[in-house]
Amino acid sequence: MNNPLQGLLPDFPYAGLIWLILVSFAVLSVAVMLGRLGWLVVADWIRVAGRRARLAAEATEAARYAEEVAVAAQRAAATAQRHRQDWLAALASAEESARALEAAEAKVRRLSGADALPAPRTSRTPTEYADRERYLHRAAMAACARGQLSIYQLSDALAHRNGWDPRLHPASQEVVLSRAIRDHLAAKHAAAMARESAAWQTVQRAMEAAYCLRNEALAAAWRAQRLRAGLEPAADAIGEAAEGEVVTQVLPIRPAPQWQPAPAS
């Protein structure tokens, strides 16, 4: 007598084949997944190794650049220091010329007041005029030797040009001489102030260049350090680091000119 469930169940060979196919498919799927996972691991390792190699190369280049910029910063600082010494010398020269001009101004004011008095009456003889001419020549040459008159003013005095009159009384000639000295010292002071101003501008530019190079060297060193640590430095982080390590130095306060021209008398 036949079993009624026998028709509902597949034959055993077919059931085994189906199970074999399912198991094979599962094993194949697992193998594919493992293979893909292995390739992903290998690819990630290759990517990490490549990134490390790139960062190492960039770190070496950044360190070399930082050293070069640091050397340039040191040279710029030395140049700025030399310019500062030149400026101090120019400043001392300007202050000295200001004091000399102030003394000349005081002498002009003093002699101008005395010039308002009548000149002493002397004999109008050729000998007197010769003595006055010799006095003018000696006084002008002595002032030129002291650097109080220019060679052109001395030439005018010896040639009796541009207000140089050998017939004047020595007291009046002293007034003319003091005014000529004042004018020459005023021109020297203006030239000294111009040199001081130019030297000051040079110092400011040199120090600004030194500060910029120093900050660039610090930023480059910070970048090299980050790269050695295997970190990718961001641009804004570099800017913040450079800003945090900014090098400043207080410049000496530039003094104002001490001399002011006296009102015309």
Side-chain angles (χ1 to χ4, degrees):
M1 185 176 181
N2 293 332
N3 189 356
L5 298 177
Q6 186 176 3
L8 298 177
L9 297 175
D11 294 338
F12 179 78
Y14 294 104
L17 180 60
I18 293 173
W19 280 105
L20 181 61
I21 293 173
L22 293 176
V23 171
S24 300
F25 181 76
V27 172
L28 181 61
S29 299
V30 172
V32 170
M33 292 178 62
L34 291 177
R36 185 177 181 181
L37 181 60
W39 278 109
L40 290 177
V41 172
V42 172
D44 185 69
W45 181 84
I46 294 174
R47 181 181 61 81
V48 171
R51 180 176 177 274
R52 289 178 179 175
R54 177 178 60 82
L55 292 179
E58 291 182 1
T60 301
E61 182 65 21
R64 183 189 63 80
Y65 175 72
E67 292 178 358
E68 293 178 354
V69 178
V71 172
Q74 292 177 356
R75 294 176 179 174
T79 301
Q81 185 63 25
R82 288 195 300 269
H83 287 312
R84 186 174 183 274
Q85 295 299 326
D86 295 340
W87 168 71
L88 290 175
L91 178 62
S93 177
E95 291 176 346
E96 182 180 358
S97 66
R99 289 190 294 267
L101 181 55
E102 186 177 0
E105 281 282 4
K107 185 176 181 180
V108 168
R109 290 193 295 269
R110 184 175 65 254
L111 293 179
S112 296
D115 190 47
L117 301 176
R121 297 183 64 85
T122 58
S123 59
R124 304 294 182 91
T125 63
T127 303
E128 174 66 20
Y129 284 120
D131 290 340
R132 293 182 180 186
E133 183 178 4
R134 283 193 297 271
Y135 174 81
L136 173 62
H137 292 174
R138 287 196 300 268
M141 287 187 292
C144 184
R146 294 192 300 267
Q148 296 177 332
L149 283 183
S150 68
I151 190 64
Y152 301 105
Q153 288 174 308
L154 176 61
S155 177
D156 289 339
L158 297 178
H160 310 153
R161 298 189 302 260
N162 296 328
W164 297 93
D165 189 355
R167 297 170 299 177
L168 296 176
H169 189 272
S172 299
Q173 290 180 1
E174 189 68 22
V175 174
V176 175
L177 178 63
S178 65
R179 289 174 179 171
I181 290 175
R182 186 267 316 275
D183 295 340
H184 177 63
L185 293 180
K188 288 182 64 175
H189 178 65
M193 290 298 295
R195 289 192 297 270
E196 185 272 339
S197 179
W200 174 262
Q201 297 297 328
T202 302
V203 167
Q204 286 188 321
R205 290 192 296 268
M207 286 193 170
E208 182 179 358
Y211 297 159
C212 291
L213 286 172
R214 180 58 176 168
N215 294 336
E216 178 66 19
L218 291 173
W222 180 86
R223 176 182 175 84
Q225 182 179 0
R226 295 276 295 180
L227 290 171
R228 288 195 189 99
L231 301 175
E232 191 77 40
D236 54 349
I238 294 177
E240 292 176 359
E243 183 179 357
E245 297 290 343
V246 64
V247 179
T248 58
Q249 178 177 349
V250 179
L251 287 174
I253 299 176
R254 183 184 179 189
Q258 300 297 322
W259 174 83
Q260 295 295 335
S265 56

